[in-house]
Amino acid sequence: MSEKSYVKSPQNAVNRLRNRANYDYETIHNIVNSTAVLHVSFVPSSEDPFPVVLPMIGQMGTFALPSSTDLDQPLDLYLHGAIASRIMKLSQNAVDRGEEGFPLCVAATKVDGYVLALTPFHHSYNFRSAVVHGYAHVVADPDEKMWALELITNKIVPERWQNTRTPPNKVEMQSTHILKMKVSSGSAKLRWGVPNNDRGDLKNPDVLANYWAGVVPMWETFGEPISSAHNQAPVPKYLSGYLEEARRENEAVAMEASKEQE
Amino acid sequence: MSEKSYVKSPQNAVNRLRNRANYDYETIHNIVNSTAVLHVSFVPSSEDPFPVVLPMIGQMGTFALPSSTDLDQPLDLYLHGAIASRIMKLSQNAVDRGEEGFPLCVAATKVDGYVLALTPFHHSYNFRSAVVHGYAHVVADPDEKMWALELITNKIVPERWQNTRTPPNKVEMQSTHILKMKVSSGSAKLRWGVPNNDRGDLKNPDVLANYWAGVVPMWETFGEPISSAHNQAPVPKYLSGYLEEARRENEAVAMEASKEQE
């Protein structure tokens, strides 16, 4: 464990398959920031036995170093939502009660491939998954809120904020809330490489003759941008350039994960 | 709401953007079954304020009609996990205490595109997301467990079970658990189509001249299968055929979602 990592505790310790566990800031923050949809879970009330899990958009950053893109440091998680959503109200209520914030658990998962072994038991995915815990509150500072909106908008497409009608007007700002989660723990789990197989299966000529094993690389790709009817200008360079890079990069990561590793 | 749908209740009611809500069995079960990784959340203990959210593989089906592929009926959710995992122990404990099962909330989310509006406020994703709640227990019946393993294996690649060394041996069966969640409620949220934009922005020549808006279709794609070193046979037809179909189908769904709808 490096100094640039989350401290292992009962909350974030990966108990199974420890060799796949990782606690580094950079690894964890990179998974969160490259995942289009985060799954955010919370307990709506102590009477309800069911937690809630919601898809949300979020990005990690630090307002203390607003232009920093260094992921290898402690960061906060900023989540975007409508003012009327339950998670925003519950977070506000927690702060109003004088609590540290509203307890959240957030997961980000990327699948890099199907791992198809000789027997179903050894089937798996190549994947990168991160889980972060922390206490969330609604951002009150208007400067921090504006900065976080830019951070989250540029998560989708870099430079997008600068290339839209900004800043948001008063009604737009009032309808949107940003949750800030101070991360108390984080962990990641990763799997890459070729299938594991039983020695018995690998020595069995019938099994080897009849069943195929290997990896199917899998990644998110993008089509050509489809312009809205009102557009007068062609697709901008910052967008087409980013999509080209993202298609290539996503494929390269999946292909790299599919190879045999030491 | 059709008869073939979940009953709306406080637990599954979509409170915001109701026009995007859907309670149909078929829509919800289809989203769950086509999502590679489900996000499963639970409350580990009543003392812990934090829920847990975990990436898991699962598929919906009914052992009462084991060969049925009809999604437009009540179904159970089967989740795959290792015997040593916490969720399996907690589910077993709940049953041992005489409870109905362990309360879970499960989310499945597919992103179909980036929706890039003239102003960040109207940015969105085209997406399909489903959430199901229910009580889970570890499957004890060996026939049902074997059937569920086949169901989940064939989720990854159809016909895969038949084309591997099956049935699993005793050690493999003992190391694997299947959770069965009886679904008590379900809901879906979907967004498709072109960006919404403010009337003011659409009437503003400067905004229209300077900023591009539209949709970027996004989908999961697959590379060519990479054979393990021991393979003697070429890539099998059931696999290459499925991947070809999945690439085409995933792209078609994303393209369809990108169009203007009535």
Side-chain angles (χ1 to χ4, degrees):
Chain A
M1 195 176 299
S2 80
E3 282 178 27
K4 295 197 162 187
S5 64
Y6 289 104
V7 176
K8 225 169 128 178
S9 73
Q11 187 174 62
N12 68 338
V14 174
N15 294 316
R16 294 195 52 262
L17 307 171
R18 288 188 188 83
N19 56 333
R20 298 179 181 176
N22 187 303
Y23 298 90
D24 296 342
Y25 287 141
E26 190 163 14
T27 303
I28 293 166
H29 298 164
N30 203 13
I31 295 169
V32 172
N33 283 4
S34 61
T35 301
V37 171
L38 305 177
H39 283 87
V40 178
S41 102
F42 59 89
V43 182
S45 92
S46 54
E47 282 107 72
D48 192 342
F50 288 98
V52 171
V53 54
L54 284 181
M56 293 181 79
I57 303 180
Q59 188 80 340
M60 306 209 64
T62 175
F63 189 53
L65 294 165
S67 57
S68 168
T69 56
D70 180 10
L71 297 177
D72 200 9
Q73 59 178 330
L75 296 175
D76 301 308
L77 175 62
Y78 289 88
L79 295 161
H80 174 272
I83 191 167
S85 63
R86 182 158 59 158
I87 192 171
M88 295 297 172
K89 288 178 193 162
L90 290 169
S91 298
Q92 192 60 56
N93 292 351
V95 171
D96 291 347
R97 284 194 304 269
E99 293 165 16
E100 191 180 345
F102 189 50
L104 302 181
C105 176
V106 181
T109 309
K110 310 275 291 182
V111 180
D112 295 322
Y114 292 164
V115 179
L116 306 176
L118 293 169
T119 180
F121 179 73
H122 287 294
H123 276 56
S124 188
Y125 290 155
N126 282 332
F127 68 92
R128 290 163 284 154
S129 79
V131 173
V132 285
H133 291 84
Y135 289 93
H137 66 268
V138 176
V139 173
D141 174 5
D143 292 338
E144 184 172 8
K145 184 175 177 180
M146 191 67 84
W147 168 84
L149 283 168
E150 179 174 343
L151 180 78
I152 292 169
T153 304
N154 287 344
K155 172 198 180 104
I156 307 178
V157 175
E159 300 174 59
R160 183 67 190 157
W161 180 267
Q162 301 83 306
N163 289 289
T164 52
R165 191 267 292 151
T166 46
N169 62 36
K170 209 171 154 185
V171 173
E172 291 170 347
M173 287 303 280
Q174 282 172 343
S175 316
T176 308
H177 264 354
I178 295 288
L179 269 187
K180 176 184 188 174
M181 186 180 97
K182 290 179 164 288
V183 180
S184 56
S185 75
S187 63
K189 246 172 99 175
L190 300 95
R191 199 262 180 225
W192 59 82
V194 299
N196 297 323
N197 279 302
D198 275 345
R199 282 180 186 217
D201 288 332
L202 289 172
K203 284 183 189 159
N204 185 329
D206 284 350
V207 168
L208 292 180
N210 288 321
Y211 306 128
W212 182 90
V215 177
V216 178
M218 176 176 168
W219 66 93
E220 289 168 350
T221 194
F222 302 95
E224 293 304 317
I226 298 168
S227 300
S228 285
H230 63 73
N231 270 297
Q232 292 149 7
V235 174
K237 280 253 164 61
Y238 70 87
L239 177 60
S240 52
Y242 166 69
L243 293 173
E244 205 173 300
E245 188 190 308
R247 285 184 203 108
R248 203 170 43 219
E249 173 71 12
N250 290 358
E251 177 174 354
V253 168
M255 296 305 290
E256 184 61 31
S258 303
K259 289 186 199 161
E260 186 149 22
Q261 317 275 322
E262 75 287 352
Chain B
M1 193 176 301
S2 81
E3 283 179 27
K4 296 197 161 187
S5 64
Y6 290 102
V7 176
K8 224 169 131 180
S9 73
Q11 188 174 61
N12 68 338
V14 173
N15 295 317
R16 293 194 53 260
L17 306 171
R18 288 189 190 81
N19 56 336
R20 299 178 181 176
N22 187 302
Y23 298 90
D24 295 342
Y25 287 142
E26 190 164 13
T27 303
I28 294 167
H29 299 163
N30 203 13
I31 294 168
V32 172
N33 283 4
S34 62
T35 300
V37 170
L38 305 176
H39 284 86
V40 178
S41 97
F42 60 89
V43 181
S45 93
S46 54
E47 282 108 70
D48 192 340
F50 288 99
V52 170
V53 53
L54 284 180
M56 292 180 81
I57 303 180
Q59 187 80 341
M60 306 209 63
T62 174
F63 189 53
L65 294 165
S67 57
S68 167
T69 55
D70 179 11
L71 297 178
D72 200 8
Q73 59 177 329
L75 296 175
D76 301 306
L77 175 61
Y78 289 90
L79 295 161
H80 174 274
I83 191 168
S85 62
R86 182 159 59 159
I87 192 171
M88 295 296 171
K89 289 179 194 164
L90 289 169
S91 298
Q92 192 58 57
N93 292 350
V95 172
D96 291 346
R97 283 195 305 267
E99 294 167 15
E100 191 180 346
F102 189 51
L104 301 181
C105 176
V106 181
T109 309
K110 311 274 293 181
V111 180
D112 295 322
Y114 292 163
V115 180
L116 306 176
L118 293 170
T119 177
F121 179 73
H122 286 294
H123 276 56
S124 188
Y125 290 155
N126 282 332
F127 68 93
R128 290 164 283 154
S129 79
V131 173
V132 285
H133 291 83
Y135 288 93
H137 66 267
V138 176
V139 173
D141 174 5
D143 292 339
E144 185 172 6
K145 183 175 176 179
M146 190 69 81
W147 168 85
L149 283 169
E150 181 174 341
L151 181 78
I152 292 169
T153 304
N154 287 344
K155 173 200 181 100
I156 306 178
V157 176
E159 301 176 58
R160 183 65 190 159
W161 180 267
Q162 301 84 305
N163 288 289
T164 52
R165 192 266 293 151
T166 45
N169 62 36
K170 209 171 154 186
V171 174
E172 290 170 348
M173 287 303 279
Q174 283 173 344
S175 315
T176 309
H177 265 354
I178 295 288
L179 268 187
K180 177 184 188 174
M181 186 180 96
K182 289 178 165 292
V183 180
S184 55
S185 75
S187 62
K189 245 172 100 174
L190 300 95
R191 197 261 181 228
W192 59 81
V194 299
N196 297 321
N197 280 302
D198 275 345
R199 283 176 184 223
D201 288 332
L202 288 172
K203 285 183 188 157
N204 184 329
D206 283 349
V207 167
L208 292 179
N210 288 321
Y211 306 128
W212 182 90
V215 177
V216 178
M218 175 176 167
W219 66 92
E220 288 168 350
T221 195
F222 301 95
E224 293 304 317
I226 298 167
S227 301
S228 284
H230 63 75
N231 272 295
Q232 290 149 8
V235 174
K237 281 251 164 60
Y238 71 88
L239 178 60
S240 52
Y242 167 69
L243 293 173
E244 207 173 298
E245 188 191 309
R247 284 184 203 108
R248 203 171 42 222
E249 173 72 12
N250 290 357
E251 176 172 354
V253 169
M255 295 304 291
E256 184 61 31
S258 303
K259 289 186 199 160
E260 187 147 19
Q261 317 276 324
E262 79 291 350

